[in-house]
Amino acid sequence: MDDMIAETVLKTYHALPTKCKPVKPTEDFFHWVPLSGIVAVGNDHATTECLSLGTGMKCLPINQVTRANGSVLHDWHAEIVALRAFNHLLLHECLDLAASPTNLSHIVRRREPREMSEAGGLQPFSIRDDLRLHMYSSEAPCGDASMELLMEAQADPTPWPVAELRPPLGWVPGLLRGRESFAELGIVRRKPARADSPQTLSKSCSDKLALKQCTSILSSHTSLLVNPANAYLESLILPRSQYVAHACDRSFGPEGRMKHMAGQSWSGGYSFQPFRVKTTTHEFAYSRRSKPASSKELRTSNVAAVCNPRLRESLVVGRLQGRKKLDPRGASAICSKWMWMTVLQVLAAMGTPNLLQEVSGSSHVQAWKQCELLVDRQRVKADARAKALQGWIRNEGDNFEVNL
């Protein structure tokens, strides 16, 4: 089954057009990129479908976040792109169901009135009960789960000194970069790993996936509409070369840094559901381990692919490839602004177009994220950050209005 899940993502990726992939290898260079995907497996364990995939390995510097205006991705590492593409798909499935009572989805279902309660969540939709969700990644997630691999790859395993964040932030414990201070394990780290890269407050993929074991893989947008109970990953599949058992146990397991979450449940359908980390024999054709002997040097690809059954995009620097920096048409369909716009469209189709504005008293998304409709999700995140993921500092500053 683990190999089948990996194959499902790899086959979907290889069917993408050339513009979504790194340039072909040359005698001088081989461009590599991480790949991640979300796969739904039926109860029969015989049917699989790739619901989303993403490639990429960059994120937005701190000094550009306030200018993003919801139209530029803050983080386009492969795992995060795959998760955003998955949520994009769910929102559009919800939109179809809201548009007509006769419409059906093989991914999302309407919830019965008897299912909805304060304790179990009031969302009108749920992922179907006969689906199980799994993630494949071609590389170990950056951050804590890959520290041993990172140390092993260094010619000199001496931990890099902790560099202070440049003003105006100042240095805060727990905000180590991915390659700083190897001896510090089980802590929150930020992207990017390289010391010469622009500063960001994006947390590592290890940290974000660890948190998803508490919040589910639903985003804040989707959590307004879809109940989280069926939206947890059952497994994370990694190539054998990328799997270090004690690193994954430490980063994600109920006996590692997430031990204080073990057995926890919250109102709204939330609970701690740790995924199993498993392995596959398959390697991605564009992984760094796939470099042919004929190519002299490894280089990172600047193209990020976005794919789900409703969407195909290629991105550069968090925007659509080929669009100018300030062109509003350059916003990806998985950017925050378009995702919130889809939420408003679903609410309008359900006859409550102004629900978010009325509940929050604002048309700004930061107020929506803090409103009472998402209070259960906020409580889960606060709990996990206080007890298991200490040092987590929010990447704020991108506040914008959304109106139909």
Side-chain angles (χ1 to χ4, degrees), residues 36-290:
S36 290
I38 305 293
V39 174
V41 177
N43 277 343
D44 58 2
H45 298 288
T47 56
T48 62
E49 180 182 3
C50 182
L51 298 183
S52 70
L53 67 75
T55 64
M57 53 193 307
K58 306 289 183 182
C59 46
L60 196 67
I62 295 169
N63 60 8
Q64 296 182 32
V65 168
T66 56
R67 300 198 296 270
N69 197 35
S71 299
V72 183
L73 303 188
H74 294 182
D75 182 345
W76 54 98
H77 278 223
E79 295 92 333
I80 309 310
V81 173
L83 289 170
R84 294 190 74 89
F86 171 74
N87 280 273
H88 171 275
L89 174 64
L90 293 187
L91 288 175
H92 284 269
E93 295 291 310
C94 291
L95 185 57
D96 282 355
L97 292 179
S100 170
T102 61
N103 288 345
L104 298 174
S105 165
H106 70 291
I107 302 166
V108 175
R109 66 171 178 84
R110 300 175 183 86
R111 297 178 77 204
E112 299 291 337
R114 59 180 171 77
E115 296 180 82
M116 292 181 255
S117 67
E118 292 290 341
L122 298 170
Q123 299 93 338
F125 305 106
S126 170
I127 294 173
R128 292 178 61 96
D129 302 327
D130 57 347
L131 298 180
R132 300 293 179 267
L133 301 176
H134 303 261
M135 174 179 263
Y136 160 80
S137 287
S138 65
E139 307 286 334
C142 65
D144 195 51
S146 59
M147 292 308 296
E148 281 79 356
L149 291 169
L150 191 60
M151 287 185 265
E152 186 180 296
Q154 302 299 313
D156 177 6
T158 304
W160 294 1
V162 177
E164 291 191 357
L165 282 169
R166 290 189 290 271
L169 290 176
W171 183 76
V172 180
L175 280 181
L176 296 179
R177 287 190 178 220
R179 296 183 187 178
E180 288 174 344
S181 192
F182 294 153
E184 298 291 332
L185 300 175
I187 64 170
V188 172
R189 292 177 177 270
R190 61 192 170 89
K191 303 167 181 171
R194 287 178 47 173
D196 59 349
S197 301
Q199 302 278 359
T200 85
L201 278 178
S202 289
K203 268 58 67 182
S204 76
C205 289
S206 290
D207 301 323
K208 291 185 177 183
L209 290 176
L211 182 61
K212 295 296 183 186
Q213 297 179 122
C214 300
T215 63
S216 83
I217 60 172
L218 302 181
S219 64
S220 55
H221 329 82
T222 317
S223 297
L224 286 163
L225 302 169
V226 180
N227 187 265
N230 290 345
Y232 289 87
L233 291 176
E234 288 212 347
S235 70
L236 169 63
I237 314 295
L238 300 176
R240 287 180 182 172
S241 62
Q242 293 296 288
Y243 175 63
V244 178
H246 61 271
C248 291
D249 290 344
R250 179 186 65 237
S251 187
F252 306 122
E255 296 181 357
R257 62 177 178 168
M258 303 301 290
K259 62 185 177 184
H260 296 297
M261 298 291 100
Q264 281 268 48
S265 61
W266 299 266
S267 59
Y270 293 97
S271 60
F272 177 62
Q273 297 191 33
F275 49 73
R276 294 164 294 159
V277 183
K278 307 177 84 173
T279 62
T280 177
T281 57
H282 295 293
E283 285 281 3
F284 179 40
Y286 292 98
S287 82
R288 49 186 157 189
R289 297 170 299 285
S290 298

Side-chain angles (χ1 to χ4, degrees), residues 315-350:
L315 312 179
V316 174
V317 198
R319 297 174 60 81
L320 292 178
Q321 186 176 23
R323 293 291 184 185
K324 293 181 179 179
K325 188 174 182 180
L326 299 179
D327 187 344
R329 295 171 298 176
S332 166
I334 65 170
C335 75
S336 191
K337 178 169 282 187
W338 283 120
M339 300 273 267
W340 281 112
M341 182 67 76
T342 308
V343 171
L344 295 186
Q345 291 171 345
V346 176
L347 292 175
M350 295 174 63

